[in-house]
């Protein structure tokens, strides 16, 4: 029976050796970095998918900007770059998400910001145009309930040898019956005219005005190929005494000083 005892001891020794080897291998694996999962940010970035782009919204954008999608951009990355960087669309909207078509500017209680925007975007080859949109059939009279103005800058753009338009909606609903807001609007019109921008008056229904106000869409009335329907430039004014808040717009001397600081005081309105 001695051979049986040897067999038992050999099995025990083999089990002990196997346990030691397993323990050492486990310790080594514990100190090795995990392999990156497919698509993880730690993996090969060259394998990441391009940003998604909604084809219908891309077509809607280029059509609204007066461009032809054919030959404009070939890949989703190029289309996203054109749509966001050159045409000013919100990237989330272009991806089909629940977002406004355009991010909006705001000059509410900040007339100097309007002057800075005009100065930064003015280009003699691509002159800015300012559209003043009021409700259709509603006169700009303080006694009229719906009398109001919403503004939108427009600038020509060139994309792949095509000539189109970029829109800059402003999310301020200037109520004409509230003198401080009326004066803000008048001063923005005045700054644009002094800087040499063409100021165009158009009108549309209230639904379109609210969509423009929120950047959801640019109404058809803002058509750079058509003429205005009311003389918006005639409503430009550097300032006057108004009832109510006075710190939401500039005093006349402040606005004229701002115009001078921008070098616009020697420019014939609309002729820069």
């Amino acid at each position: 029976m001695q051979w049986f005892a040897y067999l038992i001891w050999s099995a025990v020794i083999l089990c002990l050796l196997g346990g030691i080897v397993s323990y050492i291998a486990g310790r080594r694996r514990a100190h090795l970095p995990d392999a990156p999962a497919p698509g993880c940010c730690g993996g090969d970035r060259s394998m990441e998918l391009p940003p998604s782009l909604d084809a219908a919204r891309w077509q809607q954008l280029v059509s609204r900007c007066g461009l032809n999608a054919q030959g404009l951009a070939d890949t989703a990355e190029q289309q996203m770059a054109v749509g966001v960087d050159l045409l000013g669309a919100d990237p989330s909207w272009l991806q089909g998400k629940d977002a406004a078509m355009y991010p909006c500017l705001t000059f509410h209680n900040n007339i100097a910001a309007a002057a800075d925007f005009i100065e930064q975007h003015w280009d003699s080859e691509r002159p800015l145009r300012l559209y003043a949109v009021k409700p259709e059939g509603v006169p700009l009279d303080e006694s009229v309930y719906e009398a109001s103005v919403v503004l939108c800058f427009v600038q020509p753009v060139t994309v792949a040898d095509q000539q189109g338009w970029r829109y800059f909606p402003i999310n301020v609903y200037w109520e004409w019956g509230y003198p401080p807001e009326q004066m803000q609007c008048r001063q923005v019109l005045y700054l644009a005219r002094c800087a040499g921008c063409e100021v165009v008056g158009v009108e549309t229904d209230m639904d379109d005005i609210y969509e423009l106000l929120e950047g959801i869409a640019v109404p058809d009335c803002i058509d750079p190929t058509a003429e205005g329907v009311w003389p918006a430039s005639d409503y430009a004014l550097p300032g006057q005494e108004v009832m109510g808040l006075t710190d939401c717009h500039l005093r006349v001397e402040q606005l004229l000083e701002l115009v001078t600081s921008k070098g616009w005081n020697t420019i014939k309105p609309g002729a820069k």
Side-chain angles (χ1 to χ4, degrees), residues 49-54 58 73-83 94:
L49 294 175
S52 60
L53 184 138
D54 188 287
W58 162 252
D74 296 328
T75 67
E77 295 97 323
Q78 292 172 344
Q79 291 170 352
M80 184 66 73
V82 169
L94 265 178

Side-chain angles (χ1 to χ4, degrees), residues 58-121:
W58 162 252
Q59 181 62 54
Q60 179 185 347
L61 175 66
V62 297
S63 177
R64 185 64 190 90
C65 293
L67 299 167
N68 187 341
Q70 185 175 2
L72 196 63
D74 296 328
T75 67
E77 295 97 323
Q78 292 172 344
Q79 291 170 352
M80 184 66 73
V82 169
V84 175
D85 299 334
L86 298 181
L87 302 181
D90 187 293
S92 295
W93 179 85
L94 265 178
Q95 292 174 329
K97 299 177 183 178
D98 185 15
M101 188 176 186
Y102 290 98
C104 289
L105 304 170
T106 183
F107 304 139
H108 188 244
N109 296 347
N110 192 353
I111 300 303
D116 291 340
F117 172 84
I118 295 171
E119 183 179 47
Q120 292 166 7
H121 288 80

Side-chain angles (χ1 to χ4, degrees), residues 105 129-133 150-154 166-170 174 200 212 218-219 222:
L105 304 170
R129 187 179 299 178
L130 180 58
Y131 281 81
V133 187
V150 174
L151 301 176
C152 180
F153 281 103
V154 179
R166 177 172 179 171
Y167 301 93
F168 300 89
I170 301 169
W174 278 291
V200 184
L212 174 64
V218 176
I222 299 181

Side-chain angles (χ1 to χ4, degrees), residues 83-204:
V84 175
D85 299 334
L86 298 181
L87 302 181
D90 187 293
S92 295
W93 179 85
L94 265 178
Q95 292 174 329
K97 299 177 183 178
D98 185 15
M101 188 176 186
Y102 290 98
C104 289
L105 304 170
T106 183
F107 304 139
H108 188 244
N109 296 347
N110 192 353
I111 300 303
D116 291 340
F117 172 84
I118 295 171
E119 183 179 47
Q120 292 166 7
H121 288 80
W122 179 264
D123 186 327
S124 59
E125 299 298 323
R126 301 181 300 123
L128 280 172
R129 187 179 299 178
L130 180 58
Y131 281 81
V133 187
K134 73 176 186 66
E136 189 172 12
V138 176
L140 286 183
D141 188 291
E142 295 182 15
S143 63
V144 179
Y145 173 71
E146 286 191 331
S148 57
V149 174
V150 174
L151 301 176
C152 180
F153 281 103
V154 179
Q155 187 172 39
V157 293
T158 302
V159 186
D161 296 326
Q162 294 188 44
Q163 301 296 318
W165 306 94
R166 177 172 179 171
Y167 301 93
F168 300 89
I170 301 169
N171 67 344
V172 183
Y173 182 83
W174 278 291
E175 294 186 65
W176 216 252
Y178 183 50
E181 289 190 3
Q182 179 190 142
M183 186 49 55
Q184 282 189 53
C185 183
R186 286 179 178 273
Q187 290 189 335
V188 174
L189 294 173
Y190 183 84
L191 284 172
R193 195 181 68 174
C194 288
C197 301
E198 183 181 0
V199 178
V200 184
V202 295
E203 56 183 26
T204 188

